[in-house]
Amino acid sequence: MSDMDANGSQPLEDLVRWNGELSGLIAAARHGEPTSTVTLRRSHAAAAAKKVTTGLASPGQLVDWAQAVHFADQVHVEEEHQDLLTQFLVEISTPELFEPVTHEVCQRWLRVLQTSMASDTEAAEG
């Protein structure tokens, strides 16, 4: 992958990793013209949920993050875990259709995501 490609998708990489100040990340991702796609993995979703459970971000910020990631055309979810990640993004990005995003909801998702990742590790080691 050349440097040009990396820079083209950097705002989106930073967004899925929630690497920095959220409103700035969302703005950069919207204004950028991504040249390549970025994959949202369970580790990214878990890290985002963890920001709320550890008090680094508010539930409302997680909703904003999920909306930005969910609606970014160039962000694709990890294929092997598409159902899980799509459900996460949909439920978190539209709390009015599901349930309000609270610390408890984030903790539950964090457990689900971590359990999913742990079962992979066991399968790989087995």
Side-chain angles (χ1 to χ4, degrees):
M1 187 161 158
S2 73
D3 285 344
M4 279 179 64
D5 287 340
N7 293 344
S9 59
Q10 192 59 47
L12 279 179
E13 279 285 353
D14 287 340
L15 177 66
V16 297
R17 293 176 190 282
W18 196 333
N19 192 6
E21 200 272 314
L22 187 60
S23 56
L25 294 176
I26 292 173
R30 284 203 181 124
H31 294 299
E33 289 290 322
T35 49
S36 53
T37 58
V38 169
T39 303
L40 175 74
R41 303 185 188 284
R42 288 167 303 167
S43 56
H44 299 140
K50 194 170 188 178
K51 277 186 187 282
V52 178
T53 64
T54 56
L56 291 172
S58 69
Q61 285 178 302
L62 183 64
V63 173
D64 291 345
W65 176 84
Q67 286 173 348
V69 170
H70 190 42
F71 294 115
D73 293 334
Q74 301 287 335
V75 174
H76 294 209
V77 295
E78 192 178 8
E79 267 180 37
E80 301 81 1
H81 307 286
Q82 198 163 8
D83 293 350
L84 178 66
L85 286 166
T86 302
Q87 187 187 356
F88 171 78
L89 287 176
V90 168
E91 288 192 16
I92 298 292
S93 67
T94 52
E96 63 278 7
L97 297 181
F98 294 92
E99 60 182 325
V101 175
T102 61
H103 280 88
E104 289 71 29
V105 167
C106 293
Q107 279 167 336
R108 192 170 70 221
W109 269 113
L110 188 55
R111 278 198 300 274
V112 167
L113 291 158
Q114 286 174 334
T115 302
S116 171
M117 290 189 286
S119 64
D120 273 15
T121 310
E122 285 161 21
E125 286 169 358

